[in-house]
Amino acid sequence: MGLLERGIRLRRAPSAAVTVLPPPDRVVLPLLWGERPLVRPGQRVLRGQRIADGGGTLPLHASVSGTVVDMGHHRTPDGLRRPALVVESDGAMEPSPAQTRRAVLDDLDDAALLSLLYEAGIRLPDGTPLADAAADAGPGLQTLILCAMDGEPDLCTEDAVLCSDGETALSGIRLLERLLRPRRVLLAVGARQKQAAAAAGRWCGGRLQLAMMPERYPYAHPQLLAEELGGQMPGQTSREAGVLVLPVTAAAAAGLAAYDGLPAVDVPVCVAWDGGRAVYRVPAGTPVRAVLRAAGQPAEHVLLGGPMTGRELVNPDGPILQGFPGLTVRRPDRPLPATACIRCGRCAAVCPVDLLPWMSQLRRAQPVWHGCLDCGACQYVCPANLPLLDAMGRRTPAAVG
């Protein structure tokens, strides 16, 4: 079954410009990956300064300049308590002297480029370090796919970054192209992303080609893109298939790290509500509430993510971090009650990987959903309003905390 025949048709959100928000009074930077603090309370830090590392994980950098005021446990947006560093901002956003601008990267070999990505602390939405993904793919990659499509149709972060920060994203794409030396590079854009397609069309040529994709959910999922555009077979790893799919936001972060010397200290985040949406660039650790306030939206009835896969926001004062899934403000409607499965088969008809979600409702059913993409298409079409996403054992993105 080809990608054109999978999933469901959903309206795609229009693009929005990226607005840079001023730094909040304080940022909370959780130590999600076992990092060890390199600073102490009372110490002044600069924007981009390394403040934690160790444990075989990426370094963590201060997203604002100011003073470290706490090293206790704080709740993330999903309500979990994690150890964190709290920096009270001085509003100056004074950069660390370690930041070095570069005009060209000709003097850097592959090891130095990977080290640059590692030191920048860039993570993909699932928490994988970009440097690890690049190293695992290795030089001689067959197909590198940069995705400018958002996984949730109501959100438009990837689209906005491509349209607003296209030159930065392009510089990151060129860096990755040099490092991985793929036979071809594809920039995947949705058919209705007119502004993004126009911008991409000005850059494409040579090995960088524009791939226009159909308006079908979850057509932006990395696995489906790897299969449709890169020929990856189900069950194959990226290295086995010679295919690597990366979001445009990761390429933009790589471009900033390489040429501006800025590590991963800013986060693009989309807020969607009935009739509107906005995209902001905020320092990592900014409270969710501050972004909702900037959008003129309440902190109630909010999803972490989009309506297809999002979870309820538990702590509006929790921090926004790399890979943040976005925010969707919903109407406070009373949810319809779930009823018994009627065995209509609609969930199976829309499943992009040909699973049988309705069987998760059988008491004695053996798991039949290995390879589930957690896209929520089955739950969206279920006339019985069954919580199929949870029944299928969906996973919580690590970046949410």
Side-chain angles (χ1 to χ4, degrees):
M1 182 186 296
L3 185 60
L4 287 169
E5 303 169 356
R6 301 180 179 185
I8 53 181
R9 294 188 181 277
L10 293 175
R11 178 181 58 85
R12 171 62 52 179
S15 181
V18 178
T19 300
V20 178
L21 292 187
D25 293 337
R26 57 174 54 190
V27 296
V28 177
L29 300 168
L31 307 176
L32 299 178
W33 306 92
E35 301 96 332
R36 294 193 299 268
L38 301 175
V39 294
R40 61 187 181 279
Q43 181 175 339
R44 186 167 188 268
V45 296
L46 302 177
R47 174 171 159 86
Q49 177 181 333
R50 182 190 286 216
I51 58 175
D53 65 5
T57 187
L58 296 178
L60 179 68
H61 305 86
S63 58
V64 298
S65 60
T67 304
V68 179
V69 295
D70 189 16
M71 296 176 62
H73 282 68
H74 292 262
R75 289 197 305 159
T76 50
D78 57 5
L80 298 178
R81 292 184 64 83
R82 300 292 181 90
L85 295 171
V86 182
V87 180
E88 189 173 274
S89 173
D90 59 14
M93 300 293 273
E94 183 180 350
S96 166
Q99 295 182 36
T100 304
R101 290 180 177 271
R102 302 179 180 87
V104 294
L105 303 177
D106 294 345
D107 59 332
L108 299 181
D109 58 17
D110 290 355
L113 287 175
L114 281 174
S115 178
L116 185 154
L117 295 179
Y118 174 85
E119 293 297 327
I122 303 169
R123 290 188 185 275
L124 301 180
D126 65 357
T128 301
L130 175 60
D132 287 356
D136 186 59
L141 188 70
Q142 293 292 317
T143 306
L144 173 62
I145 303 171
L146 283 306
C147 181
M149 303 176 292
D150 288 87
E152 283 275 2
D154 276 10
L155 304 178
C156 58
T157 304
E158 300 294 335
D159 180 85
V161 167
L162 181 63
C163 294
S164 299
D165 300 324
E167 294 300 327
T168 302
L170 180 62
S171 68
I173 293 172
R174 296 306 187 195
L175 182 155
L176 294 167
E177 185 178 0
R178 174 184 159 183
L179 179 62
L180 299 172
R181 297 188 281 279
R183 291 192 176 181
R184 60 176 183 157
V185 185
L186 302 177
L187 181 55
V189 176
R192 294 185 183 177
Q193 293 177 257
K194 303 299 184 183
Q195 185 179 350
R202 295 194 295 269
W203 311 324
C204 289
R207 284 191 296 181
L208 178 59
Q209 299 296 319
L210 179 63
M212 298 299 297
M213 303 304 295
E215 292 296 324
R216 206 160 182 93
Y217 178 83
Y219 72 127
H221 194 283
Q223 179 178 319
L224 299 183
L225 287 177
E227 292 178 11
E228 188 69 17
L229 298 178
Q232 180 172 317
M233 300 298 294
Q236 273 190 316
T237 65
S238 296
R239 190 171 186 84
E240 291 170 342
V243 182
L244 180 61
V245 182
L246 299 173
V248 161
T249 48
L256 280 173
Y259 294 99
D260 290 0
L262 186 67
V265 293
D266 290 332
V267 181
V269 56
C270 180
V271 182
W273 62 94
D274 187 26
R277 56 195 41 79
V279 180
Y280 301 101
R281 184 178 299 281
V282 302
T286 295
V288 169
R289 189 185 301 274
V291 177
L292 290 169
R293 186 184 304 118
Q297 299 300 312
E300 296 83 27
H301 310 293
V302 178
L303 290 176
L304 287 169
M308 299 300 293
T309 61
R311 293 183 181 272
E312 291 289 339
L313 171 66
V314 176
N315 177 29
D317 296 309
I320 290 174
L321 305 173
Q322 279 196 76
F324 194 79
L327 297 163
T328 303
V329 183
R330 302 180 299 167
R331 294 178 179 176
D333 297 332
R334 179 177 298 179
L336 296 174
T339 61
C341 175
I342 61 174
R343 313 287 177 85
C344 65
R346 294 182 189 178
C347 58
V350 301
C351 178
V353 288
D354 299 325
L355 301 181
L356 304 174
W358 62 270
M359 291 192 68
S360 67
Q361 303 302 302
L362 302 180
R363 291 183 179 180
R364 297 183 180 181
Q366 296 296 317
V368 291
W369 37 89
H370 177 70
C372 174
L373 302 182
D374 300 328
C375 68
C378 57
Q379 184 167 288
Y380 181 82
V381 301
C382 178
N385 299 304
L386 292 169
L388 295 175
L389 257 182
D390 291 322
M392 298 283 283
R394 70 167 170 181
R395 299 168 292 279
T396 302
V400 178

